[in-house]
Amino acid sequence: MEMTTSTVDGRKTPLASVINLTAAYGDRIVLDDVSLDIVPGEITVILGGSGCGKTTLLKHFIGLLKPVEGRVELFGEDWWSLDEPEREATIQKIGVLFQNGALLGSKSLASNVSIPLEQHTNLPDEVIKRVVRLKLRQVGLQGTEEMLPSELSGGMRKRAALARALALDPPLVFCDEPSAGLDPSTTYNLDRLLLDLRDNLGLTLVVVTHETASIRRIADRIAFLDQGRLIFYAPLKEALTTDVEAVRRFFQIAEASVQ
């Protein structure tokens, strides 16, 4: 049987974990006793069919939902046992790229990217401007500071949202369907950017996606949810050769659909 536990060789302390996590909306159980560690310096891709709990798991990792049972740990601390100042300090160590980017349409890119810096630091305005320029340059958007989100292509909006997620130099970034709505060429370039950020900045990323080409390009590990349970957690190469039926079927169907 394939590896279904979150234990990762005992070599690296996970940056984030869910432990025996149960989540529900009303009486409907969405996640059932899920345990998963996020390995530092890797890209973990969360997979599964529609309604399996992928986004719900992501929301628990970033503190938007409280577990019915179990716990969520970030950087070795139980998120829901922290007091408000401790949560504030912890939340600054994670970045989030939402599916639609969630940029404020009435604000320039510079203003959008500066939001975390203005909310969580006491940096002078001139320093914030320099950091914003740096972050936009890191995602290939140098010179776009005064543009509005409506003036950008879909891929540029995703990059701008990623720049905002990186504003506080978090070691851990969560991405919800980063390539949704993008054409294959733009998706490829965004994937390459995520890989560069992992390799050059040492970022750890957790990505929810169903794009098979992206999964093959960026995933170090696959966490596969099926009907609310974690049924597979292993490196990508094992996911591509596994006998676990749901995982094998996912890749077969996904790849057949693009042929």
Side-chain angles (χ1 to χ4, degrees), residues 42-215:
E42 294 189 356
I43 298 178
T44 297
V45 173
I46 301 174
L47 292 179
S50 178
C52 71
K54 301 185 297 294
T55 298
T56 298
L57 178 57
L58 205 65
K59 288 180 177 179
H60 279 80
F61 269 125
I62 63 178
L64 292 180
L65 293 175
K66 188 173 184 178
V68 173
E69 294 180 8
R71 70 183 189 271
V72 178
E73 293 186 355
L74 292 172
F75 309 100
E77 301 288 344
D78 184 343
W79 171 255
W80 291 101
S81 70
L82 299 178
D83 60 26
E84 198 59 38
E86 290 170 331
R87 283 193 194 179
E88 172 70 15
T90 299
I91 205 70
Q92 293 180 42
K93 294 192 288 185
I94 67 172
V96 183
L97 173 58
F98 295 99
Q99 182 173 342
N100 62 3
L103 296 172
L104 299 179
S106 62
K107 291 183 175 291
S108 68
L109 295 196
S111 295
N112 270 282
V113 176
S114 69
I115 289 172
L117 296 161
E118 293 168 349
Q119 289 181 338
H120 299 293
T121 76
N122 295 314
L123 293 173
D125 290 345
E126 189 54 43
V127 174
I128 289 178
K129 289 179 182 178
R130 290 203 297 268
V131 173
V132 167
R133 287 195 294 270
L134 171 63
K135 295 307 171 184
L136 287 170
R137 186 164 67 248
Q138 282 180 335
V139 300
L141 291 179
Q142 54 271 20
T144 62
E145 288 85 357
E146 299 310 313
M147 296 181 71
L148 294 172
S150 60
E151 299 177 285
L152 305 179
S153 67
M156 292 174 73
R157 285 194 293 273
K158 293 292 180 72
R159 286 171 178 261
L162 183 57
R164 184 179 60 191
L166 298 174
L168 296 173
D169 292 322
L172 176 61
V173 176
F174 295 90
C175 305
D176 189 11
E177 297 281 4
S179 58
L182 302 182
D183 63 77
S185 177
T186 304
T187 295
Y188 174 84
N189 290 330
L190 183 60
D191 289 344
R192 292 306 314 172
L193 174 59
L194 295 178
L195 289 169
D196 288 344
L197 292 171
R198 179 200 64 186
D199 296 340
N200 297 329
L201 300 182
L203 278 186
T204 300
L205 296 110
V206 180
V207 179
V208 171
T209 184
H210 64 277
E211 300 286 347
T212 311
S214 287
I215 295 163

